[in-house]
Amino acid sequence: MSTSHTAVASSPAANSVPPASNAVDERLPAGKLATLGLQHVLVMYAGAIAVPLIIGRALKLQPEQVAALISADLFCCGLVTLIQSLGIGKLFGIRLPVMMGVTFASVSPMLAMAANPTLGITGIFGAVIGAGVISIFIAPFVSRVLALFPPVVTGTIIAVIGISLMRVGVNWAMGGTPNMATIPDPAFAELVAAAKAAGTALPAGPAPMIPNPQYAALDNLGIALFVLIVILLVAKYGKGFLANIAVLTGIVAGTVVAYFLDKVDFAKVATAKTFALVTPFQFGMPTFDVVAILTMTLVMLVVMIESTGMFLALGELTGKEIRRDDISRGLRVDGLGTVIGGIFNTFPYTSFSQNVGLVGVTGVKSRWVCVAAGIILIIMGVIPKIAQAAEAVPQFVLGGAGLVMFGMVAATGIRILAAVDYKSNRNNLFIVAISIGFGMLPLVAERYAQHMPKALSPLLHSGILLAAIVAVLLNLFFNGIASQDEAEAAAKANTHGSE
C-alpha cells in the first residue's frame, strides 16, 4: 500500500508552474545556493553542537577533546546531509531538502553510559555503531510499526526528552552540576597545613562545606538571563530567517558580553590548527556491549518514527509524492549516518525539523540547497578553530540558550499531547501520567536501580527509554493498534521531533 499523501503535479502543458519534482531537483545559481545553504547551517548550528558539548563535559574530557567531538559532529552532519539529499543508488537517501544532525533523544542513554565505568566513551561509540547497523536493516519495516506510536505515545516520549534535557540546561546556567554547589572550606585546609608545618595535632575533620562562589554566581546567572532575553526578543521581533536563528543570536550576544567581562578565554582558538582532517576512532577502538546496543537501537526506533512523519510532511510541503520505498531510503540514512557517526567519534543522526520549517519560510524546495549546506558543514568540520571557538563558549551562556532549546522539545511534546482525545478516552490520561512518572525515575531517584543488574544501567538510567517502553505497552493495553492509514496521518501531523 502506498504511503503517499501528496497529489501528483499537473503537467507543464496544462500549467505554467513546473512539476513538483523539478522544484526539488532545481539547481540554483552557485551564489544563491551558498547563501541559502549557509542559512540552513546557521539554523541548525546551535542544536548540532549541543550534544557533543553535553556528552564531552559529562565525560570530563579536555577542551581539545570536546572540540574534536564538535569537529567530528560538524563533519558528519555535512557528510550525512549529502547522502540524504543526493542519495546513493537505490538504497540510501530520500533526495529531499533534508538536513541531518545529532538527535537529542540519544542524550539520556549516552549520559547513563558515560557514567558507567565499564562503558565510557568507547562503549558509547560501540553502541552507536551497533544500533546504526541494526537500523539500516530494520528501516524498511519501520513504517509498519507506526501504529505502535500514536500521538499519545510520541507526545509523551518527546515531552520526557525535553524535561530530561532541562536538567542539562539548568546545570549549564548554574555553571556546573549540583555537587559543585558546595566546596570544602579553604580556611580548614589552611589550618591543616599550618598544623602539619608546626608538628601539632591536626584539627578534627571532616572539613566543613561552604557555598561554592563559582556555582550559581549572580553575574553568570545575569548573563544567562541576558541570553534568554535576547532569544525572546529576536523570536518576537525578528522576521523570516532572523527569527529562525534566535538561539544562535542569543549565544553570540551572550558570548560577546562574557568576553568584555573577561569571562571567555579564546587562547585555545588562536593555537588551534587552521586545518585538520577528521579521522576515525580518535578516542580508541569502540567496545560493544549488547545491552548498550539494544538500548541505542530503541532510541533509533523512536528517531525513525519521527523521521517518517517528517518525510511525509516534507513531501507534502515540496509537492513530491512520497512512497514507502522513499521512506525506507531516508530511514536507512538515519542508520548509515549513525554508523558513520560512531566511526568518526560522534553520535546518532536524524533529520532536523527546524530546517524543514526553513523550507516553508524561504519557499525554496531544492534539495541542492541542502547539498550546499552539507558541503559548508564538512568544511567547518575540518577547521578546528571553529570547533574550539564553540567549546570556549561559557557554560552559563549555553544555559540561557539551553533553557529555550530543551524547553522547546518539551513544549513540542506537550503540543502533540494537546491533540490527544482525553474526553471520550480517559485511558489516555493513564498512559501519559504513568509513562511520564516512569520517565522521571532517573531524574528524581538517581540510585533507584542500585540493586538491579549493572548491565541494564544504560536502559534503567534513561528516562526517555523507560517512558517509551511504558507508553507503548500501556497504549497497546488500553487502545490496541490503530490502522496503518491512521498511523501515517498522525505521524505526518506531528513533524517537529526531539532533535
Side-chain angles (χ1 to χ4, degrees):
M1 181 183 66
S2 171
T3 62
S4 169
H5 289 268
T6 56
V8 178
S10 58
S11 67
N15 194 324
S16 60
V17 177
S21 58
N22 287 0
V24 171
D25 297 326
E26 181 185 7
R27 301 197 184 197
L28 304 171
K32 190 172 184 180
L33 274 180
T35 302
L36 292 170
L38 182 60
Q39 285 186 358
H40 275 281
V41 171
L42 293 176
V43 165
M44 71 174 293
Y45 186 76
I49 66 172
V51 176
L53 286 170
I54 295 170
I55 302 302
R57 287 170 177 171
L59 289 163
K60 297 180 172 59
L61 299 180
Q62 295 299 313
E64 295 83 358
Q65 292 176 308
V66 176
L69 288 180
I70 295 172
S71 287
D73 177 42
L74 294 174
F75 176 82
C76 290
C77 281
L79 181 58
V80 182
T81 295
L82 288 180
I83 296 172
Q84 188 70 282
S85 299
L86 284 175
I88 299 178
K90 297 181 178 180
L91 292 179
F92 296 99
I94 196 166
R95 295 171 173 84
L96 287 174
V98 175
M99 296 295 295
M100 302 292 290
V102 174
T103 173
F104 286 147
S106 64
V107 169
S108 179
M110 288 194 299
L111 288 176
M113 295 176 200
N116 186 338
T118 63
L119 293 174
I121 193 166
T122 56
I124 290 174
F125 293 145
V128 169
I129 292 171
V133 171
I134 294 172
S135 299
I136 291 172
F137 287 103
I138 67 173
F141 307 103
V142 169
S143 62
R144 293 171 173 80
V145 298
L146 275 177
L148 296 178
F149 293 85
V152 70
V153 173
T154 56
T156 300
I157 295 171
I158 294 173
V160 171
I161 290 172
I163 294 169
S164 299
L165 288 171
M166 285 297 288
R167 177 173 61 175
V168 175
V170 171
N171 288 343
W172 277 350
M174 297 299 113
T177 52
N179 60 4
M180 296 174 59
T182 57
I183 56 173
D185 189 349
F188 182 82
E190 293 174 1
L191 289 175
V192 171
K196 287 181 177 179
T200 58
L202 297 178
M209 304 298 288
I210 64 171
N212 182 353
Q214 300 302 316
Y215 182 84
L218 293 180
D219 53 349
N220 294 345
L221 287 177
I223 295 175
L225 179 61
F226 170 75
V227 172
L228 178 59
I229 291 172
V230 169
I231 293 172
L232 295 177
L233 290 174
V234 174
K236 179 176 175 61
Y237 297 108
K239 303 297 182 184
F241 169 67
L242 181 61
N244 280 279
I245 59 167
V247 172
L248 181 60
T249 303
I251 292 174
V252 172
T255 303
V256 170
V257 171
Y259 177 79
F260 283 110
L261 294 176
D262 202 26
K263 291 179 173 290
V264 183
D265 182 8
F266 285 120
K268 288 186 171 62
V269 179
T271 58
K273 295 180 180 179
T274 304
F275 175 83
L277 292 175
V278 177
T279 56
F281 309 125
Q282 291 185 60
F283 293 86
M285 295 301 293
T287 55
F288 298 95
D289 178 88
V290 174
V291 175
I293 290 172
L294 293 177
T295 299
M296 198 61 72
T297 301
L298 287 175
V299 171
M300 289 303 299
L301 180 59
V302 172
V303 164
M304 289 192 289
I305 293 294
E306 294 177 4
S307 294
T308 299
M310 208 168 301
F311 294 153
L312 291 171
L314 189 56
E316 187 167 272
L317 180 64
T318 60
K320 182 176 179 180
E321 185 179 7
I322 302 299
R323 299 182 176 87
R324 181 167 285 170
D325 287 345
D326 298 319
I327 294 174
S328 295
R329 288 199 309 272
L331 296 180
R332 284 193 193 97
V333 177
D334 280 7
L336 178 61
T338 299
V339 173
I340 292 171
I343 292 172
F344 282 97
N345 320 292
T346 182
F347 311 110
Y349 282 83
T350 186
S351 49
F352 265 35
S353 63
Q354 59 262 51
N355 291 91
V356 175
L358 186 59
V359 172
V361 170
T362 64
V364 178
K365 304 171 184 178
S366 172
R367 61 192 173 105
W368 293 97
V369 171
C370 289
V371 170
I375 294 172
I376 293 171
L377 284 166
I378 290 174
I379 294 171
M380 293 173 68
V382 296
I383 302 176
K385 287 183 182 295
I386 293 176
Q388 197 68 63
E391 194 284 328
V393 175
Q395 284 196 68
F396 49 82
V397 171
L398 293 172
L403 292 176
V404 177
M405 285 192 296
F406 307 143
M408 287 298 288
V409 176
T412 297
I414 294 170
R415 177 183 63 79
I416 295 171
L417 289 175
V420 173
D421 177 16
Y422 303 105
K423 189 172 183 180
S424 62
N425 186 354
R426 292 182 64 254
N427 293 330
N428 285 330
L429 289 170
F430 289 104
I431 296 171
V432 175
I434 297 171
S435 300
I436 290 179
F438 271 84
M440 293 299 98
L441 277 176
L443 293 181
V444 300
E446 293 183 6
R447 300 181 64 85
Y448 87 98
Q450 63 182 0
H451 300 300
M452 300 181 190
K454 294 291 186 284
L456 296 178
S457 63
L459 171 63
L460 296 175
H461 287 89
S462 171
I464 297 166
L465 294 180
L466 290 174
I469 292 169
V470 172
V472 169
L473 293 177
L474 287 177
N475 181 66
L476 284 174
F477 175 69
F478 284 118
N479 298 329
I481 300 179
S483 69
Q484 189 69 17
D485 287 343
E486 290 174 335
E488 290 171 0
K492 185 181 67 173
N494 299 302
T495 59
H496 293 281
S498 58
E499 73 284 350

